[in-house]
Amino acid sequence: KNEVEQSPQNLTAQEGEFITINCSYSVGISALHWLQQHPGGGIVSLFMLSSGKKKHGRLIATINIQEKHSSLHITASHPRDSAVYICAVLKAAGNKLTFGGGTRVLVKP
Amino acid sequence: DVKVTQSSRYLVKRTGEKVFLECVQDMDHENMFWYRQDPGLGLRLIYFSYDVKMKEKGDIPEGYSVSREKKERFSLILESASTNQTSMYLCASSHTPDRVHYSARNEQFFGPGTRLTVL
């Protein structure tokens, strides 16, 4: 079983809809990243969090350390949000990231 | 702004050729990483380096080597390229966390990627 699991693997939404992507992990961590990758593009770090909630524009990331679970929410989704979203965890006292399989999001106009 | 650059966006090589992929970061980061990304397999760590001339194997080091002669530059070398090394290669860098600033310093910054095709 993978140490980091994301769901769903694929998601299609209509423009304006609220989107939620989930990430569950089974190891002790010091931080969790949410990353975004557009088709053919490099990876951009959206959030790094170790507790609570962070918000940037229409994106919100939450983490529940006790439940080993994080969510990424996109409010008022837009076609330019179409990308692969990747959850990655930094294991406690480590330098290396462990990645989830990614969620491919398509937002239709 | 942190900048991680990679020498090529697209590269086509022949089987058996020696291939160098270069990565440069301008933020004085101690750690540098090489990943490959394949459909259905996600991102996998090939090698990483935590200091100049220091390296450690990742999850899939076979067929690769690395070089870190200067802090800002981390090279991935395919000694004899094979078709199963056709992939997207991504470089990343980060600081080594200290006890006070642990969570703030360990964010990884990624380069734009090099799509390598081996014919």
Side-chain angles (χ1 to χ4, degrees):
Chain A
K1 192 178 189 299
N2 292 336
E3 291 177 323
V4 182
E5 296 276 359
Q6 282 184 242
S7 63
Q9 284 187 301
N10 295 282
L11 186 158
T12 300
Q14 287 298 131
E15 183 173 357
E17 285 184 346
F18 183 84
I19 290 171
T20 295
I21 303 167
N22 296 298
C23 176
S24 296
Y25 53 92
S26 57
V27 294
I29 70 167
S30 58
L32 183 144
H33 289 246
W34 280 104
L35 309 167
Q36 181 192 55
Q37 185 176 33
H38 281 103
I43 291 175
V44 174
S45 178
L46 297 173
F47 295 103
M48 188 183 68
L49 62 165
S50 52
S51 64
K53 177 179 172 178
K54 285 190 176 180
K55 185 177 190 291
H56 186 256
R58 294 180 295 104
L59 301 177
I60 303 166
T62 63
I63 188 167
N64 185 319
I65 296 294
Q66 286 73 30
E67 294 187 4
K68 291 187 163 67
H69 182 269
S70 175
S71 293
L72 176 68
H73 305 286
I74 306 174
T75 62
S77 60
H78 190 276
R80 65 175 174 266
D81 297 324
S82 298
V84 175
Y85 294 84
I86 303 167
C87 170
V89 301
L90 195 68
K91 292 182 186 177
N95 283 333
K96 296 183 284 184
L97 289 174
T98 301
F99 296 88
T103 296
R104 188 174 297 276
V105 172
L106 175 63
V107 181
K108 294 183 175 179
Chain B
D1 265 1
V2 176
K3 199 157 187 187
V4 181
T5 57
Q6 294 182 228
S7 48
S8 306
R9 290 300 304 272
Y10 300 94
L11 207 53
V12 179
K13 295 291 181 181
R14 296 213 171 269
T15 302
E17 280 192 78
K18 190 169 186 174
V19 182
F20 292 87
L21 302 182
E22 303 280 337
C23 175
V24 178
Q25 50 91 7
D26 65 359
M27 280 300 290
D28 201 36
H29 284 168
E30 296 82 19
N31 301 322
M32 295 187 76
F33 306 82
W34 273 108
Y35 300 95
R36 65 177 280 177
Q37 186 180 32
D38 301 287
L41 297 174
L43 279 148
R44 293 179 291 168
L45 181 65
I46 305 170
Y47 266 99
F48 76 101
S49 168
Y50 49 91
D51 202 349
V52 175
K53 295 192 187 294
M54 306 302 286
K55 61 186 179 185
E56 197 166 312
K57 291 179 181 178
D59 301 317
I60 49 163
E62 296 79 19
Y64 303 94
S65 62
V66 290
S67 171
R68 185 125 181 246
E69 296 296 317
K70 292 185 179 181
K71 192 174 186 180
E72 67 270 19
R73 188 180 297 269
F74 191 35
S75 302
L76 180 70
I77 303 153
L78 288 65
E79 294 288 343
S80 177
S82 63
T83 54
N84 63 13
Q85 292 179 309
T86 292
S87 186
M88 168 72 96
Y89 290 88
L90 289 144
C91 174
S93 70
S94 72
H95 276 304
T96 295
D98 59 38
R99 285 184 190 168
V100 175
H101 301 103
Y102 189 85
S103 62
R105 282 169 61 89
N106 58 20
E107 182 174 5
Q108 282 193 23
F109 296 88
F110 287 81
T114 296
R115 187 166 293 283
L116 172 67
T117 302
V118 183
L119 301 174

